[in-house]
Amino acid sequence: MPRQRIRLAIIGGSQAYTLLQSKALSGKRLGPVSTPYGPSQPLYEIPISRRRILFLSRHGEKRYEVTAPFVNYRANIYALKEHGATHIVAWTGPGAINPAFTPGSFAVMTDMIDETRRRPSTFFENSGFGFIRMGDVFCPNLRSLLVRVLRRLRYEFCDHATYVCTEGPRLETPAEIRMYAKLGADLVGMTLAPEAFLARELEMCYAALAYVTNFAEGVKQRRFRNGELFEGLATSTEKQRVGQAVKRFPSIIGALAQQLDRATQEVSRARKPLPPGCHCQRAMERYRKQGLLSEDWHEWLSR
Ligand SMILES: [Zn+2]
């Protein structure tokens, strides 16, 4: 059996640009990709562990250039697919609704509530496609690899979390946070929807790793401080811990690439298709079986 081609892509969240600017992550700049939805954020190809990993900074290349509601999610996901990405790990810096999640610690996302309101959320506008199951919002295989990596690196993390995605760019009100807590959300952020759903529509495995940046509004009593990031929601100690967490991303990405290599070899030896146990890469199978969609995903979008 030929070894299945795997290409890992990383979507960097808030502060990803600091890793590019400091050269903590460096490689070949491929530049923005022209897509039917407009240009993507610039892509990089970063050599790690015998692989060339695709990297994209969601909020901008040099600084925080675009807030979450105005990120061109369709262009970014299209661009990664165009460059052959099969697996995407997104990172994001949410606030904690559940106080068991502390700033500076990591969490591997398991489920999501989508509270966004004004974002294009599908590649299949005005068509009969996209009615697909979301039992596993995040790829279970990629999730378990992330858990394995964080365990080996001995970083503080939680292996499950429900994320609620709000529209932004403003932060949430205290009443909204109380409501999301009642709905079962652990973390709140603004970026994983529709990104995760778009990746599934193009049949890519997608998992999300959070580094908790602050406690959400009203979870802890914090005085307002003008002129600072989070305006008092995060203490200076918490900000330091968060800074350390961001610096750990290159080590996480490197270890993840190695784990993906190992998993690929194990599956290849067992002569099983990769990835076993996940349905991400066959999400549109029903439409293919009916002869409604071809093997070329570009054709899916032009209807
Ligand atoms: Zn998958």
Side-chain angles (χ1 to χ4, degrees):
M1 174 185 285
R3 190 167 148 178
Q4 191 169 343
R5 191 182 56 81
I6 299 284
R7 187 145 212 219
L8 177 63
I10 307 290
I11 298 179
S14 306
Q15 300 191 43
Y17 48 86
T18 61
L19 297 180
L20 289 175
Q21 295 302 307
S22 68
K23 307 271 189 233
L25 283 177
S26 62
K28 185 179 170 192
R29 186 182 187 274
L30 304 175
V33 176
S34 176
T35 82
Y37 312 97
S40 72
Q41 283 290 349
L43 260 57
Y44 283 77
E45 198 172 55
I46 296 174
I48 298 179
S49 179
R50 292 184 299 158
R51 288 184 181 275
R52 291 200 309 276
I53 290 172
L54 291 168
F55 183 84
L56 174 157
S57 172
R58 191 192 281 122
H59 294 288
E61 188 180 19
K62 295 190 169 66
R63 58 188 171 77
Y64 201 89
E65 295 162 22
V66 59
T67 58
F70 305 105
V71 169
N72 193 336
Y73 296 96
R74 290 195 294 191
N76 290 346
I77 293 293
Y78 184 106
L80 294 176
K81 180 81 174 176
E82 186 74 358
H83 276 265
T86 55
H87 293 67
I88 298 174
V89 170
W91 96 54
T92 183
I97 296 174
N98 179 343
F101 292 76
T102 53
S105 66
F106 293 100
V108 180
M109 240 59 103
T110 38
D111 209 342
M112 172 149 59
I113 301 168
D114 181 4
E115 286 286 290
T116 62
R117 292 165 189 168
R118 291 181 292 275
R119 306 178 187 187
S121 59
T122 177
F123 285 111
F124 304 121
E125 282 179 1
N126 302 313
S127 81
F129 306 117
F131 190 66
I132 49 180
R133 187 171 171 186
M134 278 293 146
D136 282 313
V137 181
F138 302 101
C139 171
N141 289 357
L142 211 42
R143 281 193 65 254
S144 58
L145 284 186
L146 272 174
V147 168
R148 207 188 293 178
V149 162
L150 292 166
R151 205 168 274 150
R152 290 210 172 158
L153 291 172
R154 297 175 187 272
Y155 294 158
E156 183 186 346
F157 78 103
C158 186
D159 63 4
H160 62 276
T162 295
Y163 172 93
V164 56
C165 192
T166 58
E167 181 65 29
R170 67 164 177 84
L171 290 167
E172 304 74 31
T173 68
E176 284 170 342
I177 292 300
R178 289 196 299 275
M179 175 180 74
Y180 296 141
K182 284 186 177 165
L183 293 176
D186 299 302
L187 299 171
V188 59
M190 300 174 190
T191 50
L192 297 186
E195 199 173 81
F197 307 124
L198 294 169
R200 182 66 55 83
E201 286 187 345
L202 295 192
E203 299 190 317
M204 290 182 277
C205 293
Y206 177 103
L209 175 62
Y211 66 105
V212 181
T213 55
N214 59 288
F215 288 110
E217 194 65 70
V219 174
K220 303 270 180 186
Q221 290 308 310
R222 295 280 163 85
R223 278 177 49 202
F224 210 95
R225 289 205 300 269
N226 282 318
E228 293 182 11
L229 178 64
F230 295 122
E231 292 157 318
L233 268 183
T235 65
S236 54
T237 310
E238 286 166 359
K239 284 181 189 169
Q240 270 179 10
R241 282 172 51 87
V242 170
Q244 283 168 357
V246 172
K247 286 183 185 154
R248 286 174 168 166
F249 270 104
S251 63
I252 295 172
I253 295 168
L256 181 69
Q258 283 179 355
Q259 286 293 330
L260 200 55
D261 254 342
R262 203 164 295 159
T264 311
Q265 285 162 9
E266 283 168 14
V267 168
S268 183
R269 273 198 297 272
R271 302 179 74 80
K272 287 178 187 162
L274 187 78
C278 97
H279 305 279
C280 320
Q281 302 200 6
R282 298 185 302 280
M284 305 302 286
E285 189 71 10
R286 178 163 58 93
Y287 300 110
R288 262 194 302 268
K289 267 188 175 173
Q290 292 172 346
L292 297 171
L293 290 182
S294 70
E295 291 299 327
D296 181 0
W297 63 273
H298 297 92
E299 292 177 8
W300 306 354
L301 315 177
S302 55
R303 290 159 188 270

